[in-house]
Amino acid sequence: MSKPDFSNLKAVFINCTLKKSPRVSHTQGLMDRSIDIMKKEGVSVDTIRFIDHNVASGVYPDMTEYGWQTDEWPTLFKRIFEADICVIGTPIWLGEKSSEATKLIERFYAMSGQQNDKGQYLFYGKVGGAIITGNEDGVKHCAMSMLYALQHIGYSIPPQADCGWIGEVGPGPSYLDKEADAKNNDFTNRNTTFMTYNLMHLAKLLKENNGYPAYGNSRKDWDDGTRWNFENPEYR
């Protein structure tokens, strides 16, 4: 099989750690494994540590229009939307994704009513994934929550679209700590690799085919009265 060319793809990795830079983020440590693969495959990669930015809470595109003094989301969103692939990273706290991850998803939701040039919702044709680290149970739960949110607003989710690492439950070594030996965990390394390549494969397929056809899924056409093969039984 010939080696795919991923060099026309762009990816953004958004770390939703609760630690401001330059504090060490174990979530970033695992994200860097995926980032390294993508860069070696020629993908252009942007990274954002969400907590470093003054992003307002809310579900509107620009919260300065709703009483907030500042909101960096409109600027950040331009960087995020340029990417074909979006990977959200989060630590686990109390079995859940971080508050920063929740805020990020709420701000994504603020954009979900907008449309692309086909009249589809804005994120059609883009691909999403999730990376999770922690010292307590919750990797699959957090991935389920984040991947559901991404697909709900229009992102496409490939097979094996999440990866994670958890250490011993309770206080103990985290991903980057030497005693954890997490970088040699075959299960995590395999899942991280498979996730990364599946994200690139799906993004390449969608980009080369100009996203999804607009037949049957265009909000613009629906609002104009098109119903394709939908029929309301009340009108039979």
Side-chain angles (χ1 to χ4, degrees):
M1 181 178 179
S2 60
K3 183 178 181 294
D5 181 5
F6 299 117
S7 61
N8 67 333
L9 297 178
K10 295 182 179 180
V12 61
F13 285 73
I14 310 173
N15 185 356
C16 293
T17 176
L18 300 183
K19 301 172 182 175
K20 280 184 170 289
S21 297
R23 292 184 63 194
V24 171
S25 164
H26 296 281
T27 300
Q28 188 64 50
L30 183 52
M31 294 176 77
D32 285 342
R33 308 302 293 272
S34 180
I35 290 169
D36 182 59
I37 293 171
M38 286 201 188
K39 286 184 174 179
K40 287 177 178 176
E41 291 289 354
V43 177
S44 175
V45 178
D46 188 12
T47 59
I48 296 170
R49 188 178 288 208
F50 200 57
I51 201 168
D52 286 345
H53 300 273
N54 193 359
V55 177
S57 298
V59 290
Y60 296 99
D62 186 349
M63 292 306 299
T64 62
E65 299 174 3
Y66 294 87
W68 289 78
Q69 292 299 310
T70 58
D71 185 9
E72 287 188 47
W73 175 249
T75 301
L76 280 181
F77 180 71
K78 291 178 182 177
R79 290 169 58 184
I80 294 168
F81 193 69
E82 286 179 352
D84 307 295
I85 301 167
C86 177
V87 181
I88 302 176
T90 184
I92 303 168
W93 292 111
L94 296 174
E96 299 283 353
K97 61 186 179 297
S98 73
S99 56
E100 288 295 300
T102 297
K103 181 195 285 188
L104 171 64
I105 288 168
E106 288 171 346
R107 297 314 301 271
F108 267 120
Y109 190 62
M111 320 303 291
S112 62
Q114 298 185 21
Q115 299 172 15
N116 63 21
D117 56 5
K118 299 179 186 178
Q120 301 164 323
Y121 290 116
L122 198 60
F123 299 108
Y124 274 44
K126 296 185 180 294
V127 175
I131 293 177
I132 302 99
T133 64
N135 291 97
E136 55 191 71
D137 192 18
V139 169
K140 289 181 173 62
H141 175 76
C142 293
M144 175 180 67
S145 172
M146 294 192 293
L147 294 178
Y148 168 79
L150 287 173
Q151 68 81 29
H152 183 75
I153 62 174
Y155 274 88
S156 294
I157 310 300
Q160 193 77 48
D162 63 293
C163 66
W165 181 89
I166 52 172
E168 183 180 351
V169 174
S174 296
Y175 181 78
L176 289 175
D177 294 331
K178 185 176 180 180
E179 59 269 35
D181 196 32
K183 290 186 176 182
N184 292 315
N185 185 290
D186 185 70
F187 182 84
T188 294
N189 290 341
R190 184 192 70 201
N191 285 359
T192 301
T193 301
F194 286 12
M195 177 203 73
T196 304
Y197 278 98
N198 287 344
L199 290 170
M200 291 188 290
H201 283 307
L202 183 55
K204 177 179 171 66
L205 286 170
L206 288 170
K207 190 162 190 174
E208 289 177 349
N209 288 279
N210 192 29
Y212 289 93
Y215 183 81
N217 60 29
S218 169
R219 173 64 187 270
K220 178 181 180 298
D221 290 347
W222 180 274
D223 289 345
D224 288 342
T226 302
R227 292 297 181 267
W228 303 282
N229 275 313
F230 173 81
E231 182 181 0
N232 193 324
E234 294 181 5
Y235 302 130
R236 288 179 180 172

